[in-house]
Amino acid sequence: MNTPGNDPEDELLDTSGLLCPLPVLKARKRLSSAPSGTVLRVRATDPASVIDFPHFCEQSGHQLLEQSKHDEVFEFRIRRK
């Protein structure tokens, strides 16, 4: 899925089918090993992710660049602090 705002350089993490808290936990793990400034694009199907990811970014200091929904898939672009 290539949507406006997506950069081919973004790292992709597909958490489709996973329920809370797994999408955020997997994103946290991926971001913890990434260099500062890395942009992670997360795909999720859990409806709770629209609450979880903004909260995660606020608490961790990462920047939520974009949040969108395409059909039943939510996408989040997060820049590592």
Side-chain angles (χ1 to χ4, degrees), residues 28-69:
R28 176 182 289 142
K29 182 177 181 180
R30 176 76 69 89
L31 287 167
S32 71
S33 63
S36 180
T38 297
V39 176
L40 179 64
R41 186 164 40 110
V42 182
R43 291 182 184 157
T45 52
D46 181 5
S49 64
V50 298
I51 296 167
D52 295 342
F53 277 100
H55 180 73
F56 163 68
C57 290
E58 182 180 310
Q59 294 298 311
S60 64
H62 301 309
Q63 182 181 10
L64 181 59
L65 300 173
E66 187 176 359
Q67 176 177 325
S68 59
K69 181 179 179 189

